[in-house]
Amino acid sequence: MTIRHHRAVGAFAAAGALALALTACGSGSDGGDAAETVSPEDISAALEEGGDLLVWAWEPTLDKVVEDFEAEYPNVNVELANVGTGNDHYVALQNAISAGSGVPDVAQMEYYALPQFSIGGSLADLAPLGASELDGTYSPGPWGAVTDGDAVYGLPMDSGPMALFYNAKTFEDAGVEVPATWDEFVTAAEKIHAFDKNTYITADNGDAGFATSMIWQAGGHPFEVSGTDVTVNLADEGSAKFADMWQQLLDDDLVADVPAWSDEWFQGLGSGEIAALVTGAWMPANLESGAAPASGDWRVAPMPQWTEGSNETAENGGSALSVTEASTKKALAYGFLEYANAGDGVATRLEGGNFPATLADLEDEKFLAEESEYFGGQKINEVLSASATGVVPGWQYLPYQVYANSVFPDTVGQAYTGSTSLSDGLAAWQDSIVKYGNEQGFTVGE
Amino acid sequence: MSNVLMTAPTVRPKKAPPRLRNRRSSHARPTRSILLTVLTALIGIYALIPLVWLLINATKTQPDLFSSFGLWFSGDFALWDNIVGVLTYDGGVFGRWFLNTLMYVVLGAGGATLLALLGGYGLAKFDFPGKRAVFAVVIGAVAVPGTALAVPTFLMFANMGLTNTPWSVIIPSLISPFGLYLMWTFAADAVPDEIMEAARLDGASEARTFFQVCLPMMAPGIVTVLLFTVVATWNNYFLPLIMLRDPSWYPLTLGLNAWNAQATTAGGEAIFNLVIAGSLLTILPLIVAFLLLQRYWQSGLAAGSVKE
Amino acid sequence: MLTPLVKERPHLTTLASPPAVPKTAGRMRLRTRWTGWGFVGPFMAVFALVFLAPIAYSLWLSLFQTQLVGGTTFVGLDNYARVLADPQFWDGTGRVALFLLVQVPVMLGISLLVALAIDSGRLYGRDFFRLAIFLPYAVPGVVAALMWGFMYGERFGLVGNFNDLFGTSIPDPLSSALVLPAIGNIVTWEFVGYNMLIFYSALRVVPTSLYEAAEIDGAGPWRVITAIKLPAIRGALVVATIFSIIGSFQLFNEPSILQPLSPNYISTHYTPNLYAYSLSFSGQQYNYSATVAIVMGVLTMIVAYVVQLRGMRKEA
């Protein structure tokens, strides 16, 4: 009896393997359906007719958006599931796609991860559904991240134009001016650490998102992607600029090597021992809840510049909502996307602390005039919105950035342990990226 | 106590069942040693410090958590507030996770114990074709790292439509190779062949022999296997992480991890105080179960010594 | 399948020899040859589903290569050749071998000493210690990581507090080469009580007659330990050792949970199991990952088997 059972299971397992092989083949191909255009009326009709939508996202403000959406379209039933944050979410999505079952209709996609799923053919092109009409609705950084030529693979949900968040009290105590350029930043780092050996200007123990954003701001284009042709150059001018500057801080032990988001990190932010962060505009809400003891001490300044007086910035983090290719209700799903990211849902999410990707909101007088209590009454949105206008255009992520970021610590991270330099680390990262890409069937040049 | 654990096979002399040491009544109680107690206490402190940390920090508010010395109380005593926070946050989802965990434990650990009991008894008391192969196959399979099998298992379960259902957590929990081994060794020792023969001569069916004659003799072993499978199911983390996507089916471990990860997202609210208080609530039932089950081990020991 | 992930280290025991099959294979038994399957069948059926089928599936997967671009091709044994020549695989394997040589003896040594102390009857509060030292086994890995992550913090954690108080400069265990010992410490913390209980339970069944004989001979406590207790529980020692060897080879939970806190020291190929995991979950290299898992399983079986042979031979 057991023996028979074994056989049955074996046959079944083989069937499963075949399924994997088939889906893998499918995802390798283009995946684009014949573009049949759907009119706004069709979308409205789908919303009226209703149905069930499965949405995978961890963005907390979506709870309220879904509630309002269902009130407005009573025939639509949205099931919002948080299947994990960041990588856990992508693993679950990748697994569902491989298995060919349980794939959600709508999925949250961080900008850096989006190309991996769009090139794999897992995301639906929204242009035929009317998304091309939204060109000009969003700031250039996020819009560039969700589009590939004429195709639109998601609607931006929030954005992360970078700025300098700093603890004014620590800066004052140490007698340090707020740096406007990276040279000044290095000097300020020295002074702050000299002032108190437990205090650092910032914390960084090797973060792929931060490093790529810094290279982006410095004008680097380390990744260039055209279909399955990829060019990697992590030694270009922008990358070298970043590596040389940041290397000075590492050499003199001027940044705390505390991992971001650890309790130690929050503790340092709350105590003033981590005096500043160069990061995305979504940071204020996290500071308020995670570094409450420092309330009133923090301020926001423009991101330090490579050339004094310019306004060149980059995006860090942020995510979009995408419709999956496997969804059988693309029109309905797109209706939800439009509501959440271009319609009434935007205001709801901004109230919840999201930083907008929509130009209308970035330029809205009321939004700009908001005074943040945590930031001592500063009108922080003025600074953050200004950063959104300065995002350097033309940046691209790899079509397998999730994997690339996962091996960042193995390579560039070694520079933070002192066993290599940042530029050598970047070279090692490039080697891993090229090797993996070629193994996976891309044509990767250097 | 749990005399089951010691059933490491070679311990038992093959000829006669060993006489259990009779609680030292036969020889003088040794004098107690302060030095030995102090040395053991060092290990005890080592084991308990992290738990003390958990207990102390469960009494702190979110801001105090990061601004105070970890091994002493500080600021407001917020234990009750934190517990209320844990139980009410996000619409009281913690309670749901607790019930899920309970269900996984009852069905998973209960089923695992039952299967191990039947299997162990069968291996110990019957000869059948393929018995050697069973042993070889079980050993070989457990040496392959399970984490690496997660994806194949997921894909299989997805094909069967089991993912994102409680079954995807319960079914894999049903197998405890360690439990099978324990029951095997225990049944071999605790159930005398003569009694089984006698029952059969009386005309009892195999099922009846098992349930009415042998089962009571294996009770202490069952309790011990149950203890280990309960711990394993209660702490189960990795497979639910792969299998479940709907938070309303999460067990506590997965829920706590989701809360912990919440601070790492833009706009996410840091609730480490709830994570810590929730962790405390998560391990409390297990500790209580340990204490309660210990009594059964005591009786198990008594039962074991009677069998002579 | 879950078992390796949870803090049950269990499978190990299965490697010990099965209890001697009772010698009396009577006529009754012959008549009921197939009855045994009635009892073992349910276990084996589920076992086949959750252990054997995924392994068979992995064996199948290991013969193919799937690319993000280009699909799936049959590659025969290429993946195996690649594993054997993969420096990252051997880096991880070397690390767990080192871990095994240091952590396992330390942990089992402490467990044994505590078991002997508790068994000696010379302790105050014996029952309290037995339970207290066993408690960490009940703590879920997620919670354990939270606690130890805090305690290891150099700047703001307990290590930092300690340095401030005593003016020492212990480096942060998570951002230095100390990370392997730091992981060893967590594993030791989790499993000392568990192994202690195995040893203690074994000590409980040492036949009284042996002690009585020793008393008559006037043997001291050390002599009793070395001449009676240790030989008597050799079986338990071998079982616990084999357990711990498999546990070391499958080391995954602790490094993976600490990885976010120490990404530069805990690489994606820190242990073979972590490597297999990263390959399939970050890199979607399911085929290669399955191959790594199978090679690791075979290596583990070989080492455990050798240890078992040695352990049993000494005994004979």
Side-chain angles (χ1 to χ4, degrees):
Chain A
M1 148 193 164
T2 312
I3 290 175
R4 227 184 308 135
H5 190 90
H6 283 189
R7 285 212 192 104
V9 170
F12 171 75
L18 191 62
L20 174 70
L22 288 175
T23 48
C25 284
S27 65
S29 73
D30 213 337
D33 293 340
E36 86 185 62
T37 315
V38 179
S39 70
E41 289 73 34
D42 295 337
I43 304 284
S44 311
L47 286 169
E48 288 311 321
E49 193 187 331
D52 293 334
L53 269 188
L54 179 59
V55 178
W56 283 6
W58 67 86
E59 166 58 41
T61 58
L62 283 178
D63 283 332
K64 181 79 169 71
V65 172
V66 165
E67 203 179 296
D68 296 347
F69 177 76
E70 287 180 328
E72 181 146 356
Y73 302 102
N75 294 331
V76 188
N77 174 33
V78 178
E79 194 189 330
L80 178 63
N82 176 356
V83 302
T85 299
N87 206 40
D88 289 346
H89 170 89
Y90 303 125
V91 166
L93 187 62
Q94 191 62 52
N95 282 344
I97 290 168
S98 303
S101 73
V103 184
D105 299 292
V106 175
Q108 181 169 354
M109 280 284 138
E110 283 167 283
Y111 297 127
Y112 84 90
L114 194 137
Q116 175 155 341
F117 286 90
S118 63
I119 290 181
S122 306
L123 303 181
D125 178 8
L126 306 177
L129 293 161
S132 350
E133 304 300 315
L134 295 171
D135 191 3
T137 307
Y138 301 98
S139 59
W143 185 250
V146 298
T147 48
D148 180 10
D150 289 335
V152 183
Y153 289 108
L155 294 189
M157 183 152 59
D158 64 352
S159 68
M162 292 176 86
L164 174 70
F165 296 80
Y166 66 100
N167 188 315
K169 191 159 160 295
T170 306
F171 272 66
E172 235 165 71
D173 291 349
V176 179
E177 293 282 313
V178 179
T181 65
W182 287 113
D183 284 342
E184 289 174 26
F185 187 86
V186 174
T187 316
E190 286 162 359
K191 283 190 187 157
I192 283 178
H193 194 55
F195 162 73
D196 172 14
K197 73 171 178 58
N198 285 328
T199 302
Y200 296 85
I201 193 162
T202 191
D204 178 28
N205 78 332
D207 178 277
F210 174 73
T212 46
S213 291
M214 288 293 288
I215 292 170
W216 180 345
Q217 186 214 11
H221 292 97
F223 314 125
E224 301 202 16
V225 185
S226 165
T228 57
D229 290 329
V230 179
T231 312
V232 183
N233 181 5
L234 280 160
D236 71 356
E237 200 186 333
S239 307
K241 256 174 154 177
F242 159 68
D244 293 344
M245 186 271 291
W246 210 250
Q247 187 68 49
Q248 299 174 49
L249 299 179
L250 297 186
D251 285 344
D252 297 334
D253 199 15
L254 298 176
V255 290
D257 62 346
V258 175
W261 311 109
S262 64
D263 53 356
E264 209 179 354
W265 187 72
F266 278 116
Q267 213 165 3
L269 294 175
S271 68
E273 285 168 303
I274 298 172
L277 288 177
V278 182
T279 190
W282 35 261
M283 193 64 207
N286 297 78
L287 278 174
E288 281 172 43
S289 71
S295 179
D297 296 341
W298 285 79
R299 298 288 183 278
V300 184
M303 188 177 185
Q305 296 296 309
W306 291 99
T307 319
E308 197 166 353
S310 57
N311 177 25
E312 293 190 328
T313 63
E315 293 276 341
N316 180 248
S319 50
L321 289 178
S322 296
V323 176
T324 58
E325 186 61 37
S327 170
T328 54
K329 302 162 200 157
K330 295 196 178 68
L332 182 60
Y334 181 72
F336 173 72
L337 251 60
E338 224 177 22
Y339 177 89
N341 290 356
D344 294 348
V346 178
T348 313
R349 285 189 296 96
L350 295 191
E351 270 168 46
N354 261 197
F355 189 80
T358 35
L359 284 173
D361 293 288
L362 286 167
E363 290 158 5
D364 180 53
E365 293 297 328
K366 191 161 144 279
F367 175 74
L368 293 174
E370 265 171 36
E371 293 177 3
S372 163
E373 202 183 315
Y374 185 88
F375 288 88
Q378 189 189 1
K379 294 176 183 168
I380 57 172
N381 290 338
E382 285 181 351
V383 183
L384 300 174
S385 285
S387 172
T389 62
V391 174
V392 178
W395 175 266
Q396 282 184 304
Y397 283 113
L398 289 168
Y400 47 91
Q401 194 74 38
V402 177
Y403 170 80
N405 286 4
S406 79
V407 296
F408 183 88
D410 293 358
T411 52
V412 186
Q414 298 311 306
Y416 291 79
T417 71
S419 55
T420 183
S421 68
L422 269 179
S423 50
D424 288 350
L426 286 170
W429 195 31
Q430 175 163 338
D431 290 344
S432 299
I433 289 171
V434 170
K435 180 164 167 277
Y436 178 86
N438 284 325
E439 276 169 15
Q440 293 297 327
F442 294 94
T443 311
V444 188
E446 302 188 46
Chain B
M1 326 267 97
S2 64
N3 49 347
V4 190
L5 276 174
M6 75 274 263
T7 40
T10 44
V11 173
R12 299 224 176 224
K14 304 265 147 58
K15 328 113 222 173
R19 278 203 299 147
L20 286 183
R21 242 188 309 162
N22 206 351
R23 291 246 144 240
R24 289 168 237 278
S25 55
S26 62
H27 47 174
R29 176 178 282 266
T31 45
R32 304 208 162 171
S33 159
I34 290 182
L35 179 66
L36 200 57
T37 306
V38 169
L39 290 177
T40 312
L42 286 179
I43 305 295
I45 291 171
Y46 169 65
L48 289 181
I49 274 194
L51 298 169
V52 170
W53 176 85
L54 188 68
L55 191 64
I56 289 174
N57 287 276
T59 70
K60 293 180 184 173
T61 60
Q62 170 72 30
D64 279 339
L65 211 48
F66 291 155
S67 57
S68 62
F69 178 60
L71 277 181
W72 197 241
F73 299 93
S74 165
D76 304 328
F77 186 82
L79 179 60
W80 311 124
D81 292 348
N82 285 339
I83 290 179
V84 170
V86 168
L87 298 179
T88 55
Y89 188 80
D90 201 5
V93 70
F94 190 86
R96 170 81 200 227
W97 294 339
F98 181 83
L99 292 177
N100 289 341
T101 307
L102 218 54
M103 174 179 72
Y104 297 144
V105 165
V106 169
L107 294 178
T113 307
L114 180 67
L115 289 181
L117 168 68
L118 290 172
Y121 174 79
L123 285 166
K125 292 296 163 193
F126 297 91
D127 271 341
F128 52 86
K131 182 166 163 174
R132 288 270 155 213
V134 166
F135 184 68
V137 162
V138 172
I139 293 174
V142 295
V144 179
T147 32
L149 296 179
V151 168
T153 312
F154 172 84
L155 294 174
M156 278 176 41
F157 275 39
N159 279 325
M160 299 161 81
L162 292 175
T163 47
N164 206 20
T165 68
W167 295 111
S168 63
V169 177
I170 293 167
I171 293 176
S173 304
L174 291 176
I175 292 302
S176 169
F178 181 52
L180 179 77
Y181 176 77
L182 281 183
M183 285 316 309
W184 184 353
T185 51
F186 194 84
D189 279 340
V191 182
D193 289 344
E194 296 73 21
I195 291 189
M196 291 173 65
E197 295 291 329
R200 285 176 186 137
L201 287 177
D202 286 349
S205 68
E206 286 299 339
R208 197 179 145 96
T209 308
F210 172 71
F211 282 109
Q212 295 198 338
V213 179
C214 303
L215 197 58
M217 294 180 187
M218 294 194 281
I222 295 171
V223 171
T224 310
V225 171
L226 195 60
L227 175 83
F228 282 99
T229 52
V230 164
V231 171
T233 331
W234 191 274
N235 292 340
N236 198 0
Y237 168 73
F238 184 74
L239 208 71
L241 177 72
I242 305 293
M243 294 289 180
L244 298 178
R245 295 175 224 120
D246 182 352
S248 57
W249 288 121
Y250 280 5
L252 285 168
T253 45
L254 219 50
L256 284 175
N257 195 54
W259 280 4
N260 197 31
Q262 186 174 310
T264 72
T265 170
E269 186 188 2
I271 47 168
F272 291 118
N273 58 329
L274 299 190
V275 173
I276 289 174
S279 301
L280 184 66
L281 293 183
T282 301
I283 61 174
L284 268 185
L286 268 195
I287 291 177
V288 170
F290 266 65
L291 290 167
L292 291 181
L293 283 172
Q294 232 199 353
R295 296 205 178 161
Y296 286 93
W297 302 357
Q298 306 263 14
S299 68
L301 184 66
S305 52
V306 168
K307 77 171 189 248
E308 239 175 298
Chain C
M1 145 99 262
L2 319 167
T3 34
L5 311 166
V6 239
K7 4 192 27 182
E8 196 191 1
R9 256 198 181 187
H11 352 288
L12 340 177
T13 22
T14 35
L15 282 164
S17 59
V21 178
K23 350 68 245 192
T24 54
R27 272 155 287 117
M28 187 61 80
R29 192 154 280 138
L30 283 176
R31 229 177 49 209
T32 56
R33 278 172 58 92
W34 289 92
T35 315
W37 273 115
F39 288 97
V40 180
F43 180 93
M44 287 310 291
V46 183
F47 184 81
L49 176 66
V50 300
F51 269 84
L52 299 184
I55 289 174
Y57 193 0
S58 292
L59 282 168
W60 169 271
L61 283 177
S62 72
L63 303 176
F64 293 85
Q65 187 191 8
T66 303
Q67 295 178 312
L68 288 173
V69 181
T72 304
T73 41
F74 179 82
V75 294
L77 296 178
D78 283 5
N79 285 325
Y80 291 90
R82 198 176 139 199
V83 171
L84 296 178
D86 184 343
Q88 298 190 321
F89 172 76
W90 291 111
D91 174 58
T93 306
R95 192 169 289 106
V96 293
L98 175 68
F99 185 87
L100 186 152
L101 289 176
V102 177
Q103 187 267 341
V104 171
V106 168
M107 173 180 70
L108 294 183
I110 296 176
S111 300
L112 183 61
L113 289 178
V114 173
L116 287 169
I118 291 178
D119 183 66
S120 72
R122 293 162 65 87
L123 285 186
Y124 295 93
R126 186 195 60 191
D127 289 354
F128 169 77
F129 286 128
R130 197 185 48 221
L131 189 65
I133 294 171
F134 187 51
L135 273 189
Y137 182 69
V139 176
V142 182
V143 179
L146 198 79
M147 300 190 303
W148 284 103
F150 165 81
M151 311 229 317
Y152 282 153
E154 179 212 12
R155 241 168 289 275
F156 314 110
L158 270 195
V159 171
N161 292 146
F162 188 87
N163 283 342
D164 288 349
L165 270 178
F166 300 102
T168 50
S169 56
I170 306 171
D172 182 347
L174 292 181
S175 23
S176 64
L178 289 179
V179 69
L180 191 61
I183 291 171
N185 177 48
I186 298 180
V187 175
T188 305
W189 179 76
E190 286 175 314
F191 291 105
V192 147
Y194 175 79
N195 288 299
M196 178 270 290
L197 211 59
I198 291 180
F199 296 148
Y200 174 72
S201 306
L203 286 167
R204 299 293 301 155
V205 283
V206 176
T208 324
S209 51
L210 290 180
Y211 291 104
E212 284 159 359
E215 257 173 54
I216 294 165
D217 289 351
W222 283 112
R223 180 96 187 100
V224 170
I225 287 174
T226 53
I228 299 179
K229 292 191 178 182
L230 292 187
I233 65 167
R234 186 197 296 276
L237 288 170
V238 171
V239 168
T241 306
I242 292 176
F243 249 89
S244 305
I245 288 171
I246 297 191
S248 301
F249 272 120
Q250 298 195 353
L251 191 63
F252 174 78
N253 264 355
E254 293 77 12
S256 100
I257 288 169
L258 288 177
Q259 201 177 34
L261 298 176
S262 184
N264 302 329
Y265 290 95
I266 302 178
S267 60
T268 54
H269 48 89
Y270 197 73
T271 73
N273 210 2
L274 199 59
Y275 187 40
Y277 175 81
S278 311
L279 284 171
S280 58
F281 288 103
S282 305
Q284 289 157 46
Q285 292 162 298
Y286 301 126
N287 308 91
Y288 190 54
S289 169
T291 317
V292 167
I294 291 164
V295 172
M296 210 49 216
V298 171
L299 276 182
T300 310
M301 275 188 276
I302 293 172
V303 173
Y305 188 64
V306 167
V307 168
Q308 189 192 353
L309 279 188
R310 271 187 62 90
M312 295 306 168
R313 195 184 54 203
K314 266 191 214 154
E315 193 181 18

